[in-house]
Structure formats: structure tokens, C-alpha cells
């Protein structure tokens, strides 16, 4: 049986609010660390490490471990999200 648009939108809301938002890569400390890394670029490793130490989000080493451990599940969630969005955008 084909899902209604409302059911598909509910599935998307669940992915966004429950699964993606609860994922370790979506945590506020990880977001803060990513912002610092993006702000200073990869070539400024010493500055990044200093800022991370000052503000206390995960260190570069912790970010690496977190990425290695949780990247596959993060990817799967976002892949599922893209599929749900494609269903919503499909005509008919």
C-alpha cells in the first residue's frame, strides 16, 4: 500500500527530530568543534587545537574517533532522509 503524503512527511519529521537530532554528530559540542575547524581551515591545526582547548568541545583526536565511529550511521540517516524527500517531491 502506498503511503500518503502526510505519512511520508511524518517519516521525514521523525528522521529530522528524533534520529538525526539525537545522533552524536549532531550534538552541540560537536557542532561547536566543527564551527571552529571550519573557521580556521585545515592548515591551522595549532590554532584549532588551542581554540578547542579554550572552549572545551571535543578535541581534534576526539572528533576523529567520533567521525570514524559514527560516520556510517550518520550517512545512512541522511541517505534515508534524501529518499524520503525524493518521495515527497515526486509528482502524483
Amino acid at each position: 500500500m502506498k503511503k500518503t503524503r502526510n505519512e511520508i512527511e511524518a517519516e521525514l519529521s521523525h528522521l529530522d527530530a528524533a534520529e538525526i537530532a539525537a545522533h552524536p554528530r549532531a550534538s552541540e559540542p560537536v557542532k561547536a568543534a566543527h564551527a571552529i575547524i571550519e573557521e580556521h581551515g585545515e592548515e591551522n591545526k595549532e590554532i584549532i587545537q588551542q581554540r578547542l582547548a579554550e572552549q572545551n568541545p571535543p578535541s581534534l583526536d576526539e572528533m576523529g574517533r567520533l567521525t570514524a565511529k559514527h560516520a556510517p550511521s550518520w550517512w545512512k540517516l541522511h541517505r534515508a532522509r534524501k529518499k524520503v524527500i525524493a518521495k515527497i517531491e515526486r509528482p502524483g
Side-chain angles (χ1 to χ4, degrees):
M1 186 168 127
K2 187 176 177 178
K3 291 183 181 179
T4 67
R5 182 176 180 91
N6 287 341
E7 290 171 329
I8 296 169
E9 287 175 354
E11 185 178 351
L12 178 61
S13 293
H14 174 74
L15 275 170
D16 285 341
E19 295 189 48
I20 292 174
H23 195 278
R25 291 198 60 183
S27 71
E28 289 305 317
V30 171
K31 287 180 186 177
H34 277 293
I36 291 169
I37 293 166
E38 288 178 20
E39 178 183 344
H40 294 287
E42 292 180 24
E43 67 277 354
N44 296 316
K45 187 175 179 180
E46 293 80 23
I47 294 171
I48 292 169
Q49 288 176 325
Q50 179 183 358
R51 292 279 315 277
L52 290 174
E54 290 169 0
Q55 295 186 17
N56 206 27
S59 69
L60 284 176
D61 290 340
E62 291 169 321
M63 289 293 291
R65 284 190 294 275
L66 186 133
T67 297
K69 182 177 181 180
H70 297 289
S73 61
W74 184 249
W75 177 82
K76 286 177 186 176
L77 286 171
H78 282 275
R79 185 167 183 239
R81 185 180 190 279
K82 284 178 71 172
K83 286 182 177 182
V84 172
I85 290 171
K87 286 180 189 177
I88 292 170
E89 293 175 346
R90 245 184 251 140

